[in-house]
């Protein structure tokens, strides 16, 4: 296997000053897939492996304009809007009411990040016949495993070959560290 590893915008050695939780990162990944095919031939088989936001971005890319042959998604959320509703108070330290509504209403136009555009649960319906392996720790408190369970159900209904591997006791993106065998 050849492996291409890269940094999303605003990560590692890449430029940029903001992370959009998959909204714009999907362009980075699609460009990487396009580069592989342009460099190694248009029939080059491509698989995507991503963790957390990278898992979300892999699903969004595979369900978009850039077809790939397989996706492994470790600890994705199913829908950014739902994820924010579940976790915004945890991240901000502010009470749910009235701050969650204010932040979710006022912030998107100010920072040009729109949670309704980051919906892996929608993208997975367009992935068939691309196989999807979902990985999630049962002790993940950052993105609960119910997100992967929901993605699995929607993928199955859409004809996507999907498997969910839940790792007992593993925290966020700790499946391999918890169960390396």
């Amino acid at each position: 296997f050849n492996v291409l590893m890269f940094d999303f915008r605003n990560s590692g050695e890449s430029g940029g000053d903001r992370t959009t939780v998959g909204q714009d990162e999907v362009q980075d990944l699609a460009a990487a897939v396009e580069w592989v095919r342009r460099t190694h031939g248009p029939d080059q088989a491509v698989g995507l492996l991503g963790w957390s936001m990278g898992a979300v971005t892999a699903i969004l890319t595979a369900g978009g304009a850039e077809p790939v042959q397989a996706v492994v998604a470790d600890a994705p959320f199913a829908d950014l809007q739902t994820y924010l509703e579940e976790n915004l108070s945890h991240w901000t330290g502010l009470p749910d009411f009235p701050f969650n509504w204010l932040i979710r209403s006022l912030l998107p136009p100010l920072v040009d990040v729109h949670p309704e555009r980051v919906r892996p649960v929608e993208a997975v319906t367009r992935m068939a016949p691309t196989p999807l392996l979902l990985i999630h720790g049962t002790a993940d408190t950052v993105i609960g495993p119910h997100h992967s369970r929901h993605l699995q159900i929607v993928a199955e209904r859409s004809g996507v070959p999907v498997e969910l591997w839940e790792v007992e006791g593993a925290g966020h993106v700790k499946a391999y560290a918890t169960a390396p065998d």
Side-chain angles (χ1 to χ4, degrees):
F1 294 94
N2 294 312
V3 176
L4 170 64
M5 296 176 64
F6 69 97
D7 295 325
F8 284 120
R9 60 188 68 212
N10 193 37
S11 297
E13 296 180 19
S14 290
D17 58 0
R18 69 188 188 116
T19 299
T20 65
V21 202
Q23 175 183 291
D24 295 338
E25 287 79 5
V26 72
Q27 297 169 16
D28 301 340
L29 184 52
V33 171
E34 183 182 315
W35 179 86
V36 167
R37 293 216 169 100
R38 192 174 57 246
T39 305
H40 298 284
D43 296 330
Q44 180 67 45
V46 175
L48 304 177
L49 168 62
W51 296 267
S52 195
M53 182 190 78
V56 166
T57 306
I59 293 169
L60 293 172
T61 301
E66 198 58 58
V68 297
Q69 283 61 54
V71 175
V72 177
D74 188 339
F77 55 77
D79 176 279
L80 182 55
Q81 188 73 30
T82 302
Y83 174 76
L84 291 175
E85 288 168 5
E86 294 171 354
N87 294 287
L88 198 55
S89 293
H90 170 74
W91 297 116
T92 64
L94 298 169
D96 285 351
F97 183 81
F99 297 103
N100 282 3
W101 180 84
L102 285 169
I103 292 168
R104 287 193 335 260
S105 299
L106 300 176
L107 207 53
L110 292 175
V111 297
D112 195 29
V113 176
H114 303 276
E116 70 278 2
R117 295 181 188 167
V118 185
R119 302 201 65 225
V121 72
E122 207 173 83
V124 78
T125 66
R126 299 184 299 271
M127 282 183 57
T130 303
L132 171 63
L133 172 61
L134 296 163
I135 302 171
H136 222 113
T138 61
D140 190 338
T141 58
V142 177
I143 299 174
H146 63 281
H147 284 272
S148 282
R149 291 180 199 128
H150 183 56
L151 286 166
Q152 178 189 23
I153 290 167
V154 173
E156 286 173 345
R157 288 181 185 157
S158 301
V160 175
V162 60
E163 184 175 330
L164 171 58
W165 176 39
E166 289 190 79
V167 180
E168 193 64 39
H172 190 60
V173 298
K174 298 294 183 195
Y176 181 75
T178 304
D181 290 340

